[in-house]
Amino acid sequence: MKLGRYLIICLLVFSGISGVLAQQVPIGQWRDELPYTLVNSLTDAGTRIYASTPYAVFYFDKEDNSVVRITKISGLSDIGISSINYNKEYKTLVIAYSNANIDLIKNNVIINISDIKRKPILGNKTINNIYFIGKDAYLSCGFGIVVLDINKEEIRDTYYIGKDGSQVNVMALTKNQNDTLFAATENGIYEAWLDDPNLANFSSWHKDGRIDSTASYNTITFFSGKVFVNKRMPSMSTDTIYSFSNGSWQRWQREEYNPVMHLESNDKYLVVAYNYFVKSFNTNLELYTVVPGSQYPQVAIADKDGIFWVGDTYGGLLSYNPVTYSINHVEMSGPLTALAFSMASKGNDLYIAPGGRDDSFIPIYTAPQVYHFNNTNWKNLTSYNNPLMNKTHDVVTIAIDPNDSKHVFAGTYGSGLLELYNDSVIRRFTYGNSTLRNHSASDTADIRVGGVTFDASGNLWVVTSHNNSCLSMKQGDKWTGFTIPIVNENDLGQILVDKHGQKWIQMRYGNMNPNSIMVFTDNGTPDNPADDQSRLLNATVGNGNIPGTTVLTMAEDQKGEIWIGTEKGIAVFYSPENVFSGQNFDAQRILVTQGSYVQYLLENETVTSIAIDGANQKWVGTDRGGVFLFSEDGTKQIYHFTAENSPLFSDRITCIALNQDGDVFFATDKGVISFRAPATPGGDTNENVYAFPNPVKENFEGYIAVKGLVANAQVRITDINGTLVFSTRAEGGQAVWDGKNFDGKKARCGVYLVFAANDSGSEKVVTKILIIN
């Protein structure tokens, strides 16, 4: 009776915050931040329509209209999906990757078959298409055909069908009513008899001379007694669909300037996805309908109910009902692409700059875009919805106004500076309306913004590359330009303003510049250039002592120390205030012990990103070794995530950002993923303290977090009778509890009290946790 009363009381107490807690990602859990716009493959699974992007699989449930994502976090073995297909008889989804890896999903279990991936095959190993004959999945690969027995979950055979058994890029496969196999390749059409006992012998396959045997054919299907194949022309303006029956090929259709992306069929419809529209034909090969709603189709299918489904390049998944004329877009929130050159975060707002420049600081001319994530939904800014982004390119750096996270500045590498407010571009700063200066003396429009940031007073600082007037400050509407002669003809990147007001600017090391960092100070008088000072830092002792030559990242920690990452690991400027004092300020490397050896921290890794969490711990991204979390001083490794031991998409990390909830965003060369870490920023007071999950249900196995605490608070957890069951110290503004007592046993059902206070006891708070077992 008492227990029931406790439950009622506590559920009433906690009901007020249940909506907030429902959105929380548990400590230690991952979340994908992938694009779902480019759908490259579709398959009908009865009540579900499965769709794939290069990064993930998702399905639309036609019974309840729900959408479920299946990613590396869910258990997929890889990323880079090239094709999917569902076998209804064996209730198996086959997922193929561009590196020839394969996943099968049966009864919600993911089975990996990596034989082809691991096999040392030279050349193209992409699996282009999947075609079922009974229990066998015929995989059209970049080198030939692989037969996978999905019942036994093993590779049954491999066919090299080119001349003398050579490799040929097989794009797709089908068979006709006479059990003749037709393989569409980049070098003609190949045929074989399905029941030939020696299909593994190349001599069983014959190139069809009744059709252009040197042309490329990208897609093929069998429908209404005929084989249909598309002849892909180099210009793609004269693609032609041919049909085969009664021993001959006939030209069937040509749409001028509309290349054919995909052919698909079932027993009722032939569906043709062109580059700009989709058409379907009935069994009499009469036009049935033109499917609307898709601007750039990649693939299209018809389900058993006569609903047409289209995977679009930019619009994701949509369906069309030709009876009701209704179009349904399956909404999937995500960034527009997987690109992330840099990221910036404030509060729970994350902004991504997807542009870029190469290692020589040359623009790569990506489309002008900014992606904004508010920790629930994504908003993508492009030139389509922001006209001021027209004629710009390569957004490479972002700064968020410390006083208003809706106010953002985005630097482009070649088109000046964009000002954003509330997810709209409201202004563009160039040569004529700011002190920003051009890279090329002959082209005032070529303004290459390498870095942007705000200082402690809320002033915006902007670095432009390859000119003496390389530094600008925006204070309100007033611009102030700074001329620094020592940077003439140098490429400049990231900027960091430290606690002393000094500006640390990344420099490209090269033949014309033997330096890696420039430090500049206006000595607190931006209107008086007479007391400005600057200094170039390099590998020389007494002048920086930087390990290596290329500084790829810089970060200031909570103690004011400057951490840098280079191609030779990490170094720390422990006394950055001494740069202009004449005293020693050189960077130092961190010694760590590994086994019986002492070595410098990550000395064999190229460090691409460093981010500081709420507990002053260091998240470190590398070019080949994944992600590390180190203790405050860098001597203790807490985490090491790689693509092999975690859901991390790739070991190549481009940048890292953290939000106030403890989400750590890792940008890789294959997309962005986030991890909910224990540490969050802590303040001087306890604010909006709560625990999550709360209540804690009996099947929960993760960590319970107490959030909103004063920085590094002492935390004690007791049962309702005051018996201490756990104590810890907050990591920044958050404490975590595994739900067990000091004996390692799971805490019993009931209400638990959390007492937290700073060391002086001036900031105290009490909150509750309900555990239901």
Side-chain angles (χ1 to χ4, degrees), residues 130-153:
I130 304 164
Y131 180 72
F132 291 118
I133 302 177
K135 62 183 176 59
D136 291 326
Y138 286 74
L139 311 178
S140 299
C141 303
F143 55 87
I145 299 169
V146 173
V147 185
L148 167 66
D149 187 324
I150 61 174
N151 187 39
K152 294 183 180 180
E153 301 163 8

PDB file of all heavy atoms in Angstrom, residues 130-153:
ATOM      1  N   ILE A 130      21.087  -5.391 -56.827  1.00  0.00           N
ATOM      2  CA  ILE A 130      20.768  -6.690 -56.222  1.00  0.00           C
ATOM      3  C   ILE A 130      19.544  -7.260 -56.938  1.00  0.00           C
ATOM      4  O   ILE A 130      18.515  -6.575 -57.049  1.00  0.00           O
ATOM      5  CB  ILE A 130      20.473  -6.549 -54.722  1.00  0.00           C
ATOM      6  CG1 ILE A 130      21.646  -5.870 -53.994  1.00  0.00           C
ATOM      7  CG2 ILE A 130      20.164  -7.905 -54.103  1.00  0.00           C
ATOM      8  CD1 ILE A 130      21.288  -5.353 -52.620  1.00  0.00           C
ATOM      9  N   TYR A 131      19.646  -8.486 -57.412  1.00  0.00           N
ATOM     10  CA  TYR A 131      18.545  -9.128 -58.142  1.00  0.00           C
ATOM     11  C   TYR A 131      18.327 -10.520 -57.569  1.00  0.00           C
ATOM     12  O   TYR A 131      19.278 -11.296 -57.414  1.00  0.00           O
ATOM     13  CB  TYR A 131      18.887  -9.206 -59.636  1.00  0.00           C
ATOM     14  CG  TYR A 131      17.829  -9.856 -60.495  1.00  0.00           C
ATOM     15  CD1 TYR A 131      16.634  -9.200 -60.771  1.00  0.00           C
ATOM     16  CD2 TYR A 131      18.037 -11.126 -61.048  1.00  0.00           C
ATOM     17  CE1 TYR A 131      15.668  -9.794 -61.580  1.00  0.00           C
ATOM     18  CE2 TYR A 131      17.077 -11.724 -61.862  1.00  0.00           C
ATOM     19  CZ  TYR A 131      15.893 -11.055 -62.115  1.00  0.00           C
ATOM     20  OH  TYR A 131      14.936 -11.638 -62.908  1.00  0.00           O
ATOM     21  N   PHE A 132      17.073 -10.846 -57.230  1.00  0.00           N
ATOM     22  CA  PHE A 132      16.769 -12.125 -56.596  1.00  0.00           C
ATOM     23  C   PHE A 132      16.265 -13.153 -57.600  1.00  0.00           C
ATOM     24  O   PHE A 132      15.425 -12.845 -58.462  1.00  0.00           O
ATOM     25  CB  PHE A 132      15.698 -11.951 -55.515  1.00  0.00           C
ATOM     26  CG  PHE A 132      16.160 -11.193 -54.308  1.00  0.00           C
ATOM     27  CD1 PHE A 132      15.566  -9.990 -53.959  1.00  0.00           C
ATOM     28  CD2 PHE A 132      17.182 -11.677 -53.506  1.00  0.00           C
ATOM     29  CE1 PHE A 132      15.979  -9.286 -52.849  1.00  0.00           C
ATOM     30  CE2 PHE A 132      17.607 -10.981 -52.399  1.00  0.00           C
ATOM     31  CZ  PHE A 132      16.999  -9.781 -52.060  1.00  0.00           C
ATOM     32  N   ILE A 133      16.773 -14.350 -57.457  1.00  0.00           N
ATOM     33  CA  ILE A 133      16.199 -15.533 -58.096  1.00  0.00           C
ATOM     34  C   ILE A 133      16.095 -16.574 -56.996  1.00  0.00           C
ATOM     35  O   ILE A 133      17.099 -17.166 -56.578  1.00  0.00           O
ATOM     36  CB  ILE A 133      17.059 -16.050 -59.262  1.00  0.00           C
ATOM     37  CG1 ILE A 133      17.244 -14.966 -60.324  1.00  0.00           C
ATOM     38  CG2 ILE A 133      16.406 -17.289 -59.879  1.00  0.00           C
ATOM     39  CD1 ILE A 133      18.147 -15.398 -61.474  1.00  0.00           C
ATOM     40  N   GLY A 134      14.882 -16.765 -56.471  1.00  0.00           N
ATOM     41  CA  GLY A 134      14.698 -17.669 -55.340  1.00  0.00           C
ATOM     42  C   GLY A 134      15.451 -17.177 -54.126  1.00  0.00           C
ATOM     43  O   GLY A 134      15.327 -16.015 -53.720  1.00  0.00           O
ATOM     44  N   LYS A 135      16.261 -18.059 -53.547  1.00  0.00           N
ATOM     45  CA  LYS A 135      17.017 -17.713 -52.351  1.00  0.00           C
ATOM     46  C   LYS A 135      18.354 -17.061 -52.667  1.00  0.00           C
ATOM     47  O   LYS A 135      19.097 -16.683 -51.768  1.00  0.00           O
ATOM     48  CB  LYS A 135      17.275 -18.966 -51.493  1.00  0.00           C
ATOM     49  CG  LYS A 135      18.094 -20.034 -52.191  1.00  0.00           C
ATOM     50  CD  LYS A 135      18.254 -21.262 -51.308  1.00  0.00           C
ATOM     51  CE  LYS A 135      18.996 -22.375 -52.019  1.00  0.00           C
ATOM     52  NZ  LYS A 135      20.336 -21.997 -52.457  1.00  0.00           N
ATOM     53  N   ASP A 136      18.657 -16.922 -53.948  1.00  0.00           N
ATOM     54  CA  ASP A 136      19.938 -16.362 -54.363  1.00  0.00           C
ATOM     55  C   ASP A 136      19.804 -14.884 -54.709  1.00  0.00           C
ATOM     56  O   ASP A 136      18.911 -14.480 -55.470  1.00  0.00           O
ATOM     57  CB  ASP A 136      20.500 -17.110 -55.573  1.00  0.00           C
ATOM     58  CG  ASP A 136      20.923 -18.529 -55.236  1.00  0.00           C
ATOM     59  OD1 ASP A 136      21.398 -18.740 -54.098  1.00  0.00           O
ATOM     60  OD2 ASP A 136      20.775 -19.416 -56.099  1.00  0.00           O
ATOM     61  N   ALA A 137      20.700 -14.110 -54.153  1.00  0.00           N
ATOM     62  CA  ALA A 137      20.797 -12.697 -54.512  1.00  0.00           C
ATOM     63  C   ALA A 137      21.975 -12.549 -55.466  1.00  0.00           C
ATOM     64  O   ALA A 137      23.122 -12.850 -55.111  1.00  0.00           O
ATOM     65  CB  ALA A 137      21.021 -11.853 -53.255  1.00  0.00           C
ATOM     66  N   TYR A 138      21.684 -12.101 -56.673  1.00  0.00           N
ATOM     67  CA  TYR A 138      22.724 -11.875 -57.665  1.00  0.00           C
ATOM     68  C   TYR A 138      23.191 -10.424 -57.542  1.00  0.00           C
ATOM     69  O   TYR A 138      22.413  -9.486 -57.765  1.00  0.00           O
ATOM     70  CB  TYR A 138      22.192 -12.156 -59.071  1.00  0.00           C
ATOM     71  CG  TYR A 138      22.027 -13.634 -59.362  1.00  0.00           C
ATOM     72  CD1 TYR A 138      20.985 -14.354 -58.794  1.00  0.00           C
ATOM     73  CD2 TYR A 138      22.934 -14.305 -60.180  1.00  0.00           C
ATOM     74  CE1 TYR A 138      20.833 -15.712 -59.046  1.00  0.00           C
ATOM     75  CE2 TYR A 138      22.789 -15.665 -60.439  1.00  0.00           C
ATOM     76  CZ  TYR A 138      21.745 -16.363 -59.862  1.00  0.00           C
ATOM     77  OH  TYR A 138      21.615 -17.710 -60.107  1.00  0.00           O
ATOM     78  N   LEU A 139      24.427 -10.250 -57.144  1.00  0.00           N
ATOM     79  CA  LEU A 139      24.988  -8.937 -56.877  1.00  0.00           C
ATOM     80  C   LEU A 139      25.787  -8.468 -58.088  1.00  0.00           C
ATOM     81  O   LEU A 139      26.772  -9.097 -58.477  1.00  0.00           O
ATOM     82  CB  LEU A 139      25.891  -8.978 -55.645  1.00  0.00           C
ATOM     83  CG  LEU A 139      25.301  -9.649 -54.390  1.00  0.00           C
ATOM     84  CD1 LEU A 139      26.334  -9.669 -53.268  1.00  0.00           C
ATOM     85  CD2 LEU A 139      24.023  -8.955 -53.945  1.00  0.00           C
ATOM     86  N   SER A 140      25.340  -7.382 -58.691  1.00  0.00           N
ATOM     87  CA  SER A 140      26.059  -6.793 -59.830  1.00  0.00           C
ATOM     88  C   SER A 140      27.170  -5.913 -59.282  1.00  0.00           C
ATOM     89  O   SER A 140      26.901  -4.880 -58.653  1.00  0.00           O
ATOM     90  CB  SER A 140      25.102  -5.969 -60.687  1.00  0.00           C
ATOM     91  OG  SER A 140      24.066  -6.778 -61.206  1.00  0.00           O
ATOM     92  N   CYS A 141      28.406  -6.309 -59.526  1.00  0.00           N
ATOM     93  CA  CYS A 141      29.554  -5.656 -58.899  1.00  0.00           C
ATOM     94  C   CYS A 141      30.450  -4.980 -59.933  1.00  0.00           C
ATOM     95  O   CYS A 141      30.334  -5.222 -61.137  1.00  0.00           O
ATOM     96  CB  CYS A 141      30.379  -6.678 -58.110  1.00  0.00           C
ATOM     97  SG  CYS A 141      29.443  -7.562 -56.837  1.00  0.00           S
ATOM     98  N   GLY A 142      31.351  -4.185 -59.453  1.00  0.00           N
ATOM     99  CA  GLY A 142      32.279  -3.470 -60.314  1.00  0.00           C
ATOM    100  C   GLY A 142      33.255  -4.375 -61.031  1.00  0.00           C
ATOM    101  O   GLY A 142      33.924  -3.940 -61.971  1.00  0.00           O
ATOM    102  N   PHE A 143      33.337  -5.639 -60.626  1.00  0.00           N
ATOM    103  CA  PHE A 143      34.275  -6.574 -61.244  1.00  0.00           C
ATOM    104  C   PHE A 143      33.572  -7.756 -61.906  1.00  0.00           C
ATOM    105  O   PHE A 143      34.181  -8.526 -62.637  1.00  0.00           O
ATOM    106  CB  PHE A 143      35.253  -7.114 -60.201  1.00  0.00           C
ATOM    107  CG  PHE A 143      34.569  -7.745 -59.005  1.00  0.00           C
ATOM    108  CD1 PHE A 143      34.193  -9.074 -59.011  1.00  0.00           C
ATOM    109  CD2 PHE A 143      34.297  -6.995 -57.879  1.00  0.00           C
ATOM    110  CE1 PHE A 143      33.556  -9.654 -57.920  1.00  0.00           C
ATOM    111  CE2 PHE A 143      33.665  -7.556 -56.780  1.00  0.00           C
ATOM    112  CZ  PHE A 143      33.288  -8.880 -56.797  1.00  0.00           C
ATOM    113  N   GLY A 144      32.285  -7.959 -61.626  1.00  0.00           N
ATOM    114  CA  GLY A 144      31.566  -9.110 -62.146  1.00  0.00           C
ATOM    115  C   GLY A 144      30.284  -9.343 -61.370  1.00  0.00           C
ATOM    116  O   GLY A 144      29.646  -8.397 -60.905  1.00  0.00           O
ATOM    117  N   ILE A 145      29.915 -10.610 -61.194  1.00  0.00           N
ATOM    118  CA  ILE A 145      28.666 -10.983 -60.516  1.00  0.00           C
ATOM    119  C   ILE A 145      28.998 -11.903 -59.347  1.00  0.00           C
ATOM    120  O   ILE A 145      29.791 -12.847 -59.483  1.00  0.00           O
ATOM    121  CB  ILE A 145      27.700 -11.683 -61.487  1.00  0.00           C
ATOM    122  CG1 ILE A 145      27.332 -10.738 -62.637  1.00  0.00           C
ATOM    123  CG2 ILE A 145      26.448 -12.156 -60.764  1.00  0.00           C
ATOM    124  CD1 ILE A 145      26.604 -11.436 -63.777  1.00  0.00           C
ATOM    125  N   VAL A 146      28.382 -11.653 -58.197  1.00  0.00           N
ATOM    126  CA  VAL A 146      28.531 -12.501 -57.014  1.00  0.00           C
ATOM    127  C   VAL A 146      27.163 -13.049 -56.654  1.00  0.00           C
ATOM    128  O   VAL A 146      26.170 -12.308 -56.650  1.00  0.00           O
ATOM    129  CB  VAL A 146      29.122 -11.713 -55.824  1.00  0.00           C
ATOM    130  CG1 VAL A 146      29.101 -12.561 -54.557  1.00  0.00           C
ATOM    131  CG2 VAL A 146      30.541 -11.266 -56.133  1.00  0.00           C
ATOM    132  N   VAL A 147      27.092 -14.339 -56.378  1.00  0.00           N
ATOM    133  CA  VAL A 147      25.834 -14.964 -55.990  1.00  0.00           C
ATOM    134  C   VAL A 147      25.863 -15.235 -54.491  1.00  0.00           C
ATOM    135  O   VAL A 147      26.755 -15.923 -53.986  1.00  0.00           O
ATOM    136  CB  VAL A 147      25.606 -16.286 -56.758  1.00  0.00           C
ATOM    137  CG1 VAL A 147      24.227 -16.860 -56.416  1.00  0.00           C
ATOM    138  CG2 VAL A 147      25.725 -16.061 -58.257  1.00  0.00           C
ATOM    139  N   LEU A 148      24.878 -14.672 -53.787  1.00  0.00           N
ATOM    140  CA  LEU A 148      24.786 -14.799 -52.334  1.00  0.00           C
ATOM    141  C   LEU A 148      23.561 -15.626 -51.978  1.00  0.00           C
ATOM    142  O   LEU A 148      22.436 -15.282 -52.369  1.00  0.00           O
ATOM    143  CB  LEU A 148      24.688 -13.402 -51.699  1.00  0.00           C
ATOM    144  CG  LEU A 148      24.279 -13.315 -50.226  1.00  0.00           C
ATOM    145  CD1 LEU A 148      25.348 -13.926 -49.342  1.00  0.00           C
ATOM    146  CD2 LEU A 148      24.023 -11.867 -49.834  1.00  0.00           C
ATOM    147  N   ASP A 149      23.762 -16.714 -51.263  1.00  0.00           N
ATOM    148  CA  ASP A 149      22.658 -17.536 -50.759  1.00  0.00           C
ATOM    149  C   ASP A 149      22.166 -16.897 -49.465  1.00  0.00           C
ATOM    150  O   ASP A 149      22.825 -16.988 -48.430  1.00  0.00           O
ATOM    151  CB  ASP A 149      23.139 -18.972 -50.510  1.00  0.00           C
ATOM    152  CG  ASP A 149      22.006 -19.922 -50.137  1.00  0.00           C
ATOM    153  OD1 ASP A 149      21.068 -19.484 -49.440  1.00  0.00           O
ATOM    154  OD2 ASP A 149      22.070 -21.101 -50.510  1.00  0.00           O
ATOM    155  N   ILE A 150      20.999 -16.232 -49.517  1.00  0.00           N
ATOM    156  CA  ILE A 150      20.535 -15.517 -48.323  1.00  0.00           C
ATOM    157  C   ILE A 150      19.951 -16.460 -47.283  1.00  0.00           C
ATOM    158  O   ILE A 150      19.802 -16.087 -46.114  1.00  0.00           O
ATOM    159  CB  ILE A 150      19.503 -14.433 -48.685  1.00  0.00           C
ATOM    160  CG1 ILE A 150      18.268 -15.038 -49.352  1.00  0.00           C
ATOM    161  CG2 ILE A 150      20.129 -13.372 -49.580  1.00  0.00           C
ATOM    162  CD1 ILE A 150      17.148 -14.025 -49.589  1.00  0.00           C
ATOM    163  N   ASN A 151      19.631 -17.680 -47.683  1.00  0.00           N
ATOM    164  CA  ASN A 151      19.141 -18.652 -46.711  1.00  0.00           C
ATOM    165  C   ASN A 151      20.287 -19.203 -45.873  1.00  0.00           C
ATOM    166  O   ASN A 151      20.217 -19.252 -44.638  1.00  0.00           O
ATOM    167  CB  ASN A 151      18.408 -19.784 -47.434  1.00  0.00           C
ATOM    168  CG  ASN A 151      17.722 -20.730 -46.475  1.00  0.00           C
ATOM    169  OD1 ASN A 151      17.157 -20.306 -45.471  1.00  0.00           O
ATOM    170  ND2 ASN A 151      17.773 -22.027 -46.777  1.00  0.00           N
ATOM    171  N   LYS A 152      21.384 -19.582 -46.546  1.00  0.00           N
ATOM    172  CA  LYS A 152      22.560 -20.091 -45.829  1.00  0.00           C
ATOM    173  C   LYS A 152      23.488 -18.968 -45.350  1.00  0.00           C
ATOM    174  O   LYS A 152      24.435 -19.223 -44.614  1.00  0.00           O
ATOM    175  CB  LYS A 152      23.341 -21.051 -46.723  1.00  0.00           C
ATOM    176  CG  LYS A 152      22.599 -22.329 -47.053  1.00  0.00           C
ATOM    177  CD  LYS A 152      23.475 -23.252 -47.894  1.00  0.00           C
ATOM    178  CE  LYS A 152      22.739 -24.539 -48.221  1.00  0.00           C
ATOM    179  NZ  LYS A 152      23.594 -25.451 -49.049  1.00  0.00           N
ATOM    180  N   GLU A 153      23.218 -17.752 -45.836  1.00  0.00           N
ATOM    181  CA  GLU A 153      24.001 -16.568 -45.440  1.00  0.00           C
ATOM    182  C   GLU A 153      25.471 -16.732 -45.824  1.00  0.00           C
ATOM    183  O   GLU A 153      26.383 -16.493 -45.027  1.00  0.00           O
ATOM    184  CB  GLU A 153      23.854 -16.303 -43.940  1.00  0.00           C
ATOM    185  CG  GLU A 153      22.418 -16.067 -43.518  1.00  0.00           C
ATOM    186  CD  GLU A 153      22.207 -16.204 -42.021  1.00  0.00           C
ATOM    187  OE1 GLU A 153      23.226 -16.336 -41.297  1.00  0.00           O
ATOM    188  OE2 GLU A 153      21.050 -16.212 -41.571  1.00  0.00           O
TER     189      GLU A 153
END
